[in-house]
Structure formats: C-alpha cells, structure tokens
Amino acid sequence: MAYTFDFSGRSALITGAASGIGAASARWLDDNGIEKLWLIDRNGEGLDALDLSCAVEKRCGDVADETFWSGLEEEIDALDHAVVNAGIATGGEIATLAFDDWRKVMDVNLDGAFLTLRTALRKMLPAARGSIVVTASVTGLKPVPGIGGYGTSKAAVAHLARIAAAENARHGIRINAIAPGGVDTAIWDSGEDFRAATRKYGREAAIGAMGKDTPRGRFATPEELAGDIGFLLSDMAANVTGTVLTSDGGYTL
C-alpha cells in the first residue's frame, strides 16, 4: 500500500461544509484528488460559494433531522471517508443556562454527530473500509467555565468516536476525533462578547487578542485543522484509530 495523500477514486461526506473547518476540509480533499464530495450544511449560499474541481453533491439540511439522513442514505451508493463536523456554540454558566439552549446544542452537536456517523458507517460497512474524523473540541477535554453545553457535547462526541472505533476496527473502518483549540471561524461571531469586541476593535484584533492566550500566540486557521483532518483520513494514518488528536497550539499545556 502506498501511504500518500492521494484520495483519487474516493468519495467523502462533510457536514458543516459551508464555512470554517468544514469548507477548508472540502478544499483540502479536492486539492488531494478526491473524486466526489457530499457536502451538508444549512447554509446553501455558503455551499454554493465553494469553488471545487471534483464532483460535488450539495444538500441543505438539519443534521439533527433523522428524516433528512434517511433520505440521503438512499442516495449515497458508497462512501470512503466522512468528516463529522457540524456544530454550534452556546454560552452561559450551568446555573443560568436555559434548557432550550442546552437541548439545541445537544441536538446539533451530539444527535447530529450520531446520525451522521451512523449513516457514514452504514455506507462503509459493505466494502469493509473507510475512515472518519469527528470534530470534537479542546473544551471537551479541559473544563472551560461558561460553555458547559458546548463543552459537554464535544466531550460526548469524542467518546462517541472512540466507541465507534472499537466497534468497527474489525470491519476495516477507522474513526478518530480531533480536538481543536481556538480556530478563526464564524462560530465566534455568535457570541455576544466577541461581537462587542469586534465592534470596538475590529474582528481581526478581537481574534488576535484571544489567540494570545495560547503558547503559540495565535488561533489556528481552518486550513491548518483541515490538514490534521486530512492526515487522519488518509492512508498515512492507517494504524491510527480511536484517538482524540489535540490540535490546540499548546492551550492545554
């Protein structure tokens, strides 16, 4: 077997593909020869804005909707790779967090990840091969006050990935998770404090200020995370399954 980043003749599914890590992963796979991408997001305009050379199937839908996945499962013949990436953020300390906000983040980040993972596995099992990466978060490893819903959902998806890896290694399917630290993506734009800092200092300065808290001194780019994900998907990581790769610029040191 040639251990390269050559994805020619293969297909992949990516959720949360319209922006950030998902969009960067789509571009990375396209640059490395992927034949076909299934791109999922609620943001149809963002999906349409992606300029890719491979065959692309774009679907707008809610990853937490089982009916959506049932329909898509009938459309996909087979699948080689998947990036389980869709996610949303929520803020607030546990004592003051509204249950509706808790449920919303669990619906997308955990239930959506489960449904995505289940569909991908069902499409990989007949061929007894494949690889999957689930986007977790360093906040699922390190307790960070004020984001209990988000951090808990990401801890859960990391463990979900490890259980799936244990169940499917004998079937030739690898599943890993990646736990990013701060990444410059649109997920920050939903936070009230970040929006206030952006209005006062500008977005670049606001992101830069937060990144100074890491030993590396800055947040990662989506492209850097896409490279990590691409490695885990590739044959270069043939012996890696059930791991949670921390990619946080040293934040957890």
Side-chain angles (χ1 to χ4, degrees):
M1 179 182 293
Y3 296 99
T4 69
F5 290 141
D6 182 7
F7 287 80
S8 58
R10 302 184 188 182
S11 62
L13 180 148
I14 304 173
T15 62
S19 64
I21 294 170
S25 296
R27 291 190 293 266
W28 190 96
L29 286 167
D30 187 46
D31 289 342
N32 285 276
I34 198 79
E35 181 173 303
K36 185 173 184 177
L37 287 172
W38 293 85
L39 303 181
I40 315 300
D41 204 292
R42 289 188 291 190
N43 180 0
E45 291 184 0
L47 291 178
D48 290 339
L50 288 171
D51 184 16
L52 304 171
S53 60
C54 64
V56 178
E57 293 285 347
K58 303 171 184 176
R59 297 291 184 274
C60 291
D62 181 353
V63 295
D65 180 1
E66 185 175 16
T67 302
F68 169 79
W69 286 108
S70 297
L72 189 61
E73 193 172 324
E74 294 180 0
E75 294 185 60
I76 300 174
D77 292 328
L79 202 60
D80 299 294
H81 308 286
V83 182
V84 184
N85 173 70
I88 61 172
T90 187
E93 294 189 356
I94 292 170
T96 58
L97 185 64
F99 185 64
D100 285 347
D101 291 337
W102 170 272
R103 277 301 334 147
K104 184 177 180 180
V105 77
M106 292 299 166
D107 283 347
V108 176
N109 294 6
L110 181 53
D111 297 346
F114 163 74
L115 291 169
T116 308
L117 184 59
R118 187 178 70 175
T119 296
L121 286 169
R122 288 174 175 177
K123 292 302 172 181
M124 294 176 184
L125 282 167
R129 68 173 187 272
S131 61
I132 300 170
V133 176
V134 178
T135 303
S137 169
V138 73
T139 63
L141 307 175
K142 175 186 173 76
V144 178
I147 54 168
Y150 181 80
T152 300
S153 72
K154 291 301 187 177
V157 298
H159 200 56
L160 177 67
R162 298 189 73 218
I163 292 170
E167 291 176 347
N168 290 281
R170 68 184 186 277
H171 299 305
I173 302 171
R174 297 184 299 106
I175 300 100
N176 293 287
I178 187 165
V183 185
D184 184 0
T185 70
I187 199 168
W188 296 103
D189 299 329
S190 63
E192 183 177 339
D193 290 344
F194 183 77
R195 290 199 301 269
T198 297
R199 288 191 296 270
K200 186 173 183 179
Y201 304 110
R203 191 180 187 285
E204 185 175 347
I207 282 284
M210 292 193 299
K212 289 179 181 178
D213 290 339
T214 67
R216 191 184 185 200
R218 67 170 178 85
F219 276 1
T221 65
E223 289 71 24
E224 288 170 328
L225 268 295
D228 295 336
I229 290 169
F231 165 73
L232 290 173
L233 291 175
S234 77
D235 295 340
M236 293 285 284
N239 194 47
V240 182
T241 194
T243 192
V244 180
L245 174 64
T246 301
S247 178
D248 68 351
Y251 176 70
T252 50
L253 289 174

